[in-house]
Amino acid sequence: MDWSYILGHMNYWLFTVMMMTGLYIVIARGNLVKKIVGLNIFQTAVFMFYISIGKVSGGTVPIFPTDMEIDPEVTYSNPLPHVLILTAIVVGIATTSLALALVVRIHEEYDTIEEDDILEIETRIAREENRAHGGAMGGRA
Amino acid sequence: MSVSDGGQVLTLAGHLPILPVVVPFMAAPLVVVLGARRLAWPIAFAASLSALAVSVALLLQVLEGGGVSYHIGGWAPPLGIEYRIDAASALMLVLISGLSTTVLPFARRSLAHELEARRHMLFYAAWLLCVSGLMGMVASGDAFNIFVFLEISSLSTYALVASGAGRDRRALTAAYDYLIMGTIGATFFVIGIGFLYAATGTLNMAELAVIIGENGTDRTIQTAFAFIVVGMGLKVAVYPLHLWLPGAYTHAPSVVSAFLAGTATKAAVYVLLRFMFTVFRPEYLFEVRALEVIMLPLALVAMFAASVIAIFQRNLKRMLAYSSIAQIGYILLGIGFLSQTGLAAAVIHLFNHGITKAALFMGVGALLLRADTPFHDRIVGLGRRMPLTGFAMVIAGLSLIGVPGTAGFVSKWLLVQAALEKGWWPFALAVVGSSLLAVIYVWRMIEVLYLQEPEEGGRAEAPLSMLVPLWTVTAATVYFGLATGLTLGAAQSAAEGLMSGFIPVAGEGGGG
């Protein structure tokens, strides 16, 4: 493994670092909104990975001239990953908005968006349920 | 829909493969745009019913004459998106649309009890989107298209689960957890597809299979395999990745639990099967031994750990959710055997467990209508007050255990057979042992429902609109336990198709 190998795969390194950053935020942060931010970083890393593999060295923008006379000398970048990612971005936006809507509703019901506080409230609910319904049989509700 | 080529005729029959996906997809916005609360249910039911009719027609067509290939918009693959229907996917289409059509009549009364009336319209729209997404996942033969449909079904599923918030606010956090984990899973899946595309330059699954078969695998393709298996594993709820499932099934409205337990994880298993066997080929799976080393132990852990956890639940719905995780273990065990019999067992258990669990969750929905909570101490003796509901749940419970004469027996018999065929008798014993654990938790349900005095008060049988769907599905578990021809035939030809690693297409012949 030498320098040209490391620099030659720059997009992969960046993608990996960014992806892991996002995933780490999702796991480590207790704030529900910050988790969504992490999820977005995670998804964006994947978008960048796709777009970077669409690059053809020396390739130009993949738009044909209007007279459709295509010069075989010109190399074009691969447009397909871009199109795919356009779809994936839309999916990502839908996910983010749904997640934020859920966070709003959670805030209304729990009055907090911190995971620890929510867990505490839910443990309390579960304990009350255990007390109320526990008589029937052993085990936790 | 534009003209399709590839020798397909310009009639409705030529467009059959896309209809079960498109009809619910178009009906969903129609429900919202019309905005009439009364029209929502009829539209949803009509769309679901027509999807079922088309799926059955497709299944018959496929069983007779081999697979069908459909080019969307007339663009030939590999450039265009291709839909491929073979025995396995046709069976899944019938399962998904069939369950949706049966559960929807049940939903009317159940939802009236569990969800505020003003949300019903949006609920049905989300339901239709979910059906459409699941059908698309199964029908599509394009890797990226599968991701898009996966997200359509997942996003609507999160909304459906969260709609349980009116009764219990924990539905919201369950939906949030599901969303986070589901999105991580779907993104892993899409990373895997990206690696596959980088290595092969195509997204068409049939062509991917050809290229991987010819050129063999390299590090990129192995990484893709790992990402796809883990990503789909999250949606399937493979044992250590199952954490979203109990919460989601427990707090979602009963109809949603009934539908999801029967279809959502099953469609994900189907996609996993497709990638493992059609794209990566069984030879590759033998080579990496990923299934033996990883899948089989996890399946065993799921079968036992989840069953044991299920025994100790006092919430009937949560108990059924844990039992689902255990049943997914059986399906993975069948896949992990890597033999034709094992695969057939997995495919048939997909179907059989789907209808069994749907019946049980519908039973819970009927109990909820009278008892208001699914806790064991609140439903004591309800089997006596609601004899028809109770009896249906007992039969479905027996199918969950795998008693002869029910659908569950067929799949477990096949699973044991597959284990013995390989000479792995400890696995056969494990299947039996885990079924004994199922006996315990099903018995607990029966004990609660029948062996105690019901509470005083006028609790009556569930209404007819709930009993008919409940008994339709329950009768199906018995029917498919006795008349095994259709499901067994479809499962075996599906397994054959998967093991041979290539989807036969009409015109090219093949066993279909």
Side-chain angles (χ1 to χ4, degrees):
Chain A
M1 196 184 297
D2 52 12
W3 277 107
S4 66
Y5 176 84
I6 294 173
L7 289 175
H9 294 77
M10 203 51 169
N11 59 334
Y12 296 106
W13 298 116
L14 291 176
F15 150 69
T16 312
V17 168
M18 198 165 156
M19 178 180 137
M20 285 307 145
T21 313
L23 203 55
Y24 176 78
I25 296 173
V26 176
I27 297 164
R29 290 287 121 181
N31 185 302
L32 298 191
V33 176
K34 285 183 184 163
K35 272 181 192 292
I36 298 172
V37 173
L39 204 61
N40 267 311
I41 296 174
F42 176 54
Q43 286 181 314
T44 310
V46 180
F47 301 163
M48 293 173 85
F49 161 67
Y50 264 82
I51 292 170
S52 69
I53 61 172
K55 172 75 183 160
V56 178
S57 48
T60 179
V61 190
I63 302 173
F64 284 166
T66 41
D67 53 4
M68 289 305 281
E69 278 180 21
I70 302 147
D71 185 359
E73 294 292 302
V74 181
T75 42
Y76 292 101
S77 281
N78 182 359
L80 186 72
H82 303 183
V83 180
L84 298 179
I85 282 324
L86 217 52
T87 318
I89 288 172
V90 174
V91 170
I93 289 172
T95 312
T96 309
S97 51
L98 181 63
L100 287 173
L102 276 175
V103 172
V104 170
R105 286 284 291 124
I106 288 174
H107 186 252
E108 281 173 13
E109 296 284 342
Y110 288 84
D111 219 23
T112 172
I113 54 166
E114 291 295 329
E115 203 176 31
D116 295 346
D117 300 341
I118 293 172
L119 272 179
E120 200 177 297
I121 295 172
E122 293 198 335
T123 318
R124 207 164 56 226
I125 301 175
R127 209 178 294 137
E128 276 160 20
E129 276 177 351
N130 273 337
R131 210 174 298 132
H133 305 287
M137 247 165 277
R140 278 158 40 85
Chain B
M1 200 42 45
S2 336
V3 191
S4 63
D5 69 350
Q8 286 165 6
V9 270
L10 233 176
T11 55
L12 200 59
H15 289 299
L16 276 188
I18 188 127
L19 285 177
V21 183
V22 166
V23 170
F25 192 78
M26 299 306 250
L30 191 69
V31 166
V32 180
V33 169
L34 286 179
R37 206 174 285 167
R38 275 168 202 213
L39 282 178
W41 186 83
I43 294 174
F45 185 70
S48 177
L49 191 65
S50 44
L52 173 63
V54 175
S55 306
V56 170
L58 271 174
L59 178 64
L60 295 178
Q61 191 183 329
V62 165
L63 286 182
E64 249 172 48
V68 185
S69 161
Y70 179 84
H71 310 156
I72 292 189
W75 292 86
L79 272 181
I81 293 172
E82 182 193 21
Y83 278 19
R84 276 204 176 215
I85 314 287
D86 63 358
S89 47
L91 189 68
M92 286 302 296
L93 288 177
V94 171
L95 172 72
I96 295 166
S97 54
L99 270 183
S100 164
T101 313
T102 342
V103 173
L104 270 173
F106 181 89
R108 293 200 87 166
R109 283 300 296 270
S110 182
L111 273 189
H113 182 69
E114 294 182 32
L115 191 68
E116 307 118 90
R118 67 191 170 91
R119 295 195 196 278
H120 284 189
M121 193 180 72
L122 293 174
F123 178 91
Y124 288 120
W127 180 284
L128 284 170
L129 282 178
C130 184
V131 173
S132 158
L134 293 172
M135 302 286 264
M137 274 167 77
V138 173
S140 186
D142 182 277
F144 199 83
N145 201 233
I146 289 181
F147 160 72
V148 175
F149 277 118
L150 171 75
E151 283 294 53
I152 291 176
S153 74
S154 303
L155 286 170
S156 43
T157 306
Y158 308 145
L160 289 175
V161 169
S163 69
R167 294 173 53 81
D168 191 331
R169 55 181 166 172
R170 279 173 292 175
L172 293 171
T173 45
Y176 183 88
D177 287 346
Y178 189 6
L179 184 143
I180 296 287
M181 288 190 227
T183 308
I184 292 176
T187 312
F188 266 50
F189 181 66
V190 101
I191 295 171
I193 293 173
F195 279 125
L196 275 185
Y197 181 70
T200 62
T202 180
L203 289 167
N204 183 286
M205 287 167 69
E207 195 167 285
L208 275 174
V210 172
I211 293 176
I212 294 175
E214 278 171 6
N215 300 351
T217 54
D218 56 12
R219 186 74 63 78
T220 314
I221 290 177
Q222 284 161 8
T223 317
F225 179 73
F227 269 113
I228 287 174
V229 169
V230 173
M232 266 299 142
L234 259 162
K235 303 299 289 186
V236 173
V238 178
Y239 185 69
L241 309 172
H242 70 285
L243 290 168
W244 56 269
L245 192 142
Y249 285 11
T250 310
H251 299 300
S254 315
V255 271
V256 176
S257 311
F259 181 60
L260 290 185
T263 57
T265 48
K266 309 296 181 289
V269 172
Y270 170 82
V271 173
L272 198 59
L273 275 177
R274 262 283 107 95
F275 270 92
M276 277 181 170
F277 290 92
T278 310
V279 175
F280 290 100
R281 317 295 281 264
E283 301 82 42
Y284 172 67
L285 294 174
F286 278 120
E287 202 178 296
V288 294
R289 295 168 57 85
L291 294 183
E292 272 171 56
V293 182
I294 301 168
M295 197 77 104
L296 281 182
L298 290 181
L300 282 180
V301 174
M303 279 159 55
F304 284 95
S307 295
V308 170
I309 296 170
I311 292 173
F312 291 101
Q313 300 304 314
R314 272 178 291 189
N315 181 329
L316 189 52
K317 241 172 153 181
R318 195 177 277 271
M319 183 198 95
L320 292 175
Y322 276 107
S323 130
S324 269
I325 298 168
Q327 301 286 328
I328 289 163
Y330 290 119
I331 297 172
L332 295 178
L333 192 70
I335 300 172
F337 284 152
L338 259 184
S339 67
Q340 197 159 317
T341 322
L343 264 184
V347 173
I348 201 167
H349 198 56
L350 273 184
F351 186 86
N352 289 342
H353 175 247
I355 53 179
T356 305
K357 209 28 92 50
L360 281 166
F361 271 116
M362 279 201 266
V364 175
L367 295 177
L368 272 179
L369 190 70
R370 301 294 180 221
D372 222 38
T373 69
F375 286 103
H376 282 165
D377 66 324
R378 299 303 309 269
I379 55 172
V380 287
L382 268 189
R384 298 188 193 179
R385 287 279 158 82
M386 306 167 75
L388 288 173
T389 311
F391 192 49
M393 288 184 78
V394 170
I395 292 178
L398 293 179
S399 173
L400 201 59
I401 300 170
V403 174
T406 58
F409 174 72
V410 182
S411 34
K412 284 196 183 165
W413 177 257
L414 215 54
L415 205 54
V416 170
Q417 218 177 2
L420 293 179
E421 225 171 62
K422 281 225 149 191
W424 294 352
W425 57 268
F427 285 96
L429 283 184
V431 172
V432 177
S434 166
S435 300
L436 289 178
L437 291 176
V439 172
I440 302 179
Y441 60 72
V442 171
W443 173 251
R444 273 194 57 173
M445 182 183 86
I446 294 172
E447 185 182 332
V448 167
L449 286 178
Y450 282 100
L451 296 187
Q452 289 170 26
E453 277 304 312
E455 282 177 30
E456 290 305 310
R459 279 174 178 165
E461 184 55 75
L464 206 62
S465 70
M466 288 179 137
L467 285 176
V468 171
L470 174 60
W471 272 97
T472 311
V473 181
T474 312
T477 61
V478 177
Y479 175 79
F480 288 120
L482 297 174
T484 54
L486 180 67
T487 45
L488 211 57
Q492 254 148 9
S493 65
E496 216 171 282
L498 286 168
M499 281 307 273
S500 62
F502 187 72
I503 325 170
V505 177
E508 297 179 34

